[in-house]
Amino acid sequence: MILALQVLILLALFALTALLLHRSAPRFALAERPAQRSIALATAGAILGAPFWGFGVPSSFAWLLPPLAFRFLGAAALAFAATGLTILWRPSPARIRLYLGMVALYLAPVVAAVLLLHRDRLDWQTPIAWAFLVVAGGLAISSTIALLGTPTPPGGTPPGPTEQRIWSAFGLLFALWALALYAWPAAPFPPLFLWATDPLSARLIAVMPATLALMAWGARNRQDLGRPAAIGYATYGFWVVIACLLHGLAGRPLPWLYLGALGLGSAWGFARALRR
């Protein structure tokens, strides 16, 4: 039964990717088609995976995550879905490069962590373990290749000084956050290191702050990247706040640091996304 459902989801992934490619094709130049394929596949995977991960369906991921980490993974998928749809519907060379960078930065460290540090966490007798490795690893490689093949656009117009400072602050905060959580997942500071007994899950969560830092860096330098970055911030932060509140309502300690920092990031994202 589980295998049949996983096969059905894989077929749905191909179908949704094909639909996104078809609908967005007129907006991409011929030379941008490899990038378009990576963006469409990543977006389709995020759309399909989000509800399963948000509700913590055990057989929906390569290893069993703690409940809060599952919800954070679902929030990250929703952020990638929202940002990916934004790029597909209004692509530009700078936006394409931003999203490809996001996908590569998110997936490559997770695949590396699994293969180099945590091979024992996956049950290699199950199809989902190999599907994860093929899809995540393949997307990381294809996004990196497409990124290298996409010309760097001329320097764009930077945002105003206040917006630059805000993006810079978020970029620095989340870059340090990601580095600490990925490099030292069991550090003795419980408000940040929530998964001290599960380093692989901690490293999975760490790659999203790294992605937020990349988005902030791009939006700091180019005004035309502000809207897609803001949509990603608004979406991820909102659903992380929901996840934290549900965690607290279940009688567990409230993850106040994640609630506060990502709630603030979400508020900024909503405010910035409403501006043209």
Side-chain angles (χ1 to χ4, degrees):
M1 184 66 178
I2 293 176
L3 178 59
L5 178 60
Q6 291 171 344
V7 171
L8 184 63
I9 293 171
L10 187 62
L11 293 175
L13 174 63
F14 293 145
L16 183 54
T17 301
L19 177 63
L20 292 174
L21 285 170
H22 175 71
R23 295 298 299 271
S24 62
R27 301 175 177 87
F28 285 80
L30 185 61
E32 295 171 338
R33 292 300 168 81
Q36 182 204 11
R37 287 192 288 269
S38 292
I39 295 170
L41 180 58
T43 303
I47 292 171
L48 291 174
F52 291 95
W53 302 330
F55 286 104
V57 178
S59 58
S60 64
F61 199 62
W63 68 90
L64 185 60
L65 295 166
L68 185 61
F70 244 137
R71 291 193 178 109
F72 278 23
L73 177 61
L78 287 169
F80 269 91
T83 310
L85 290 173
T86 301
I87 305 300
L88 287 170
W89 259 240
R90 290 191 176 179
S92 71
R95 287 183 167 197
I96 290 171
R97 286 182 61 84
L98 174 67
Y99 196 78
L100 292 172
M102 289 167 55
V103 174
L105 180 60
Y106 187 90
L107 292 176
V110 177
V111 174
V114 168
L115 294 180
L116 299 178
L117 300 172
H118 305 287
R119 287 192 299 272
D120 59 314
R121 283 296 309 278
L122 273 65
D123 183 358
W124 297 104
Q125 304 302 314
T126 60
I128 189 67
W130 292 101
F132 162 79
L133 188 62
V134 170
V135 174
L139 258 178
I141 293 170
S142 67
S143 296
T144 301
I145 293 173
L147 179 62
L148 294 174
T150 303
T152 303
T157 304
T162 300
E163 184 173 335
Q164 275 193 321
R165 285 192 288 269
I166 293 172
W167 283 123
S168 296
F170 278 121
L172 179 60
L173 169 66
F174 289 126
L176 294 174
W177 192 307
L179 182 61
L181 195 58
Y182 191 91
W184 194 10
F189 182 58
L192 177 59
F193 301 92
L194 299 177
W195 302 277
T197 60
D198 188 354
L200 178 56
S201 295
R203 291 185 167 111
L204 172 67
I205 301 306
V207 294
M208 192 59 194
T211 305
L212 293 175
L214 176 67
M215 296 162 72
W217 180 255
R220 176 196 178 279
N221 294 320
R222 296 185 64 105
Q223 189 172 8
D224 56 332
L225 296 181
R227 190 173 180 82
I231 288 171
Y233 265 65
T235 306
Y236 183 66
F238 176 80
W239 289 107
V240 164
V241 167
I242 296 298
C244 291
L245 293 177
L246 290 174
H247 194 73
L249 288 173
R252 303 183 181 95
L254 189 67
W256 58 267
L257 190 59
Y258 287 82
L259 178 66
L262 288 159
L264 186 63
S266 179
W268 160 247
F270 275 111
R272 174 61 184 83
L274 292 174
R275 293 194 351 243
R276 291 290 178 183

